[in-house]
Amino acid sequence: MLQIIGTPAKRVPGGTLEQQSCLSPLVGGVTKFSVTVTEIAWASWARWDDFGTTFPPRLDVVGDLLRKIPKVDDLLRHEEWQRRLASFPATLSKDMLRITLDELRSSIKEGAVEVLPTSEKIIADTAKKVQDSVKPGLRTVINATGVIIHTNLGRSMLSRAAVDAIMKVANNYCNLEYDVGAGKRGDRYEHCLSVLRRLTGAQGALIVNNNAAAV
């Protein structure tokens, strides 16, 4: 890649690029030189207006790298794919593979990739994307904000007894809306309404999931 250090190039009559007062690793000590447009295969996305001090990659190099990108079907049959991704849903793995290949194509067109990664590297990058996508989004953090009931951090924590009670019921079927004593459908709110009435001394109670619903 030819790199020019100095003032940006400009287009001049006659179809040449002229660089004024520049220093170049390939043209030492020369203060002015011209390069004909036909001598360089510019990338299709390069424009005269935003041409900077680094020449974009040649079209033949970019095209050669793009043509050498492994096909999806070949990667799916690769031994490394079977070892790393056979246990994940096929649709998810294919989607992540297409994203990986799209990112690779973009990097090649931008000139960020000069050597095509191996099939094993492409599969490894895809496997990381798949693994990251199936990780649970919620995880424990340390609240160092000084705010005890913090909305962004899950508000109040549940006690161990409450968590154990939830886990015991959540792992099984339960009588959520079934009156076991009467043998018929019951009221899901009754499980805690009686407790609230005893705690508050109120004749009745209503349970909502946020304060706005209580208005």
Side-chain angles (χ1 to χ4, degrees):
M1 180 179 291
L2 175 63
Q3 185 173 9
I4 300 174
I5 302 174
T7 56
K10 62 180 180 179
R11 193 175 188 180
V12 297
T16 63
L17 295 178
E18 186 176 88
Q19 184 76 20
Q20 297 286 348
S21 301
C22 68
L23 296 177
S24 170
L26 302 183
V27 190
V30 178
T31 59
K32 178 180 179 180
F33 72 95
S34 298
V35 181
T36 61
V37 176
T38 55
E39 290 176 347
I40 301 177
W42 298 98
S44 60
W45 40 263
R47 302 194 307 270
W48 296 110
D49 294 339
D50 58 8
F51 175 71
T53 57
T54 301
F55 282 84
R58 294 175 55 187
L59 280 176
D60 56 347
V61 175
V62 172
D64 185 56
L65 289 174
L66 291 174
R67 285 189 295 271
K68 289 182 178 179
I69 293 177
K71 296 181 180 180
V72 172
D73 290 342
D74 293 339
L75 291 170
L76 295 179
R77 290 191 294 266
H78 198 284
E79 180 181 353
E80 188 70 5
W81 181 276
Q82 300 302 321
R83 187 179 74 83
R84 285 178 172 268
L85 293 160
S87 60
F88 292 97
T91 301
L92 173 63
S93 299
K94 290 179 183 178
D95 289 343
M96 294 299 111
L97 174 58
R98 292 188 176 94
I99 292 175
T100 301
L101 295 178
D102 286 342
E103 292 174 350
L104 177 58
R105 293 187 187 96
S106 297
S107 297
I108 291 174
K109 293 176 182 178
E110 293 169 0
V113 174
E114 297 181 356
V115 178
L116 194 69
T118 63
S119 296
E120 289 78 6
K121 178 64 167 61
I122 294 174
I123 293 173
D125 291 343
T126 301
K128 185 178 185 307
K129 285 183 172 63
V130 173
Q131 292 166 359
D132 290 343
S133 69
V134 298
K135 288 180 180 178
L138 294 175
R139 60 180 181 177
T140 58
V141 297
I142 297 175
N143 182 3
T145 65
V147 179
I148 303 301
I149 302 178
H150 200 299
T151 300
N152 302 134
L153 302 182
R155 297 194 177 182
S156 300
M157 296 182 293
L158 296 176
S159 67
R160 172 52 58 185
V163 172
D164 291 342
I166 292 172
M167 291 299 298
K168 183 178 180 180
V169 176
N171 285 333
N172 298 277
Y173 291 108
C174 64
N175 60 328
L176 176 63
E177 281 190 349
Y178 189 80
D179 189 330
V180 177
K184 61 180 182 180
R185 182 173 180 174
D187 186 354
R188 66 172 57 197
Y189 299 112
E190 188 59 35
H191 301 290
C192 51
L193 289 182
S194 58
V195 177
L196 286 175
R197 287 195 294 265
R198 285 198 301 270
L199 287 174
T200 62
Q203 295 179 343
L206 176 67
I207 300 173
V208 295
N209 61 0
N210 57 58
N211 290 334
V215 177

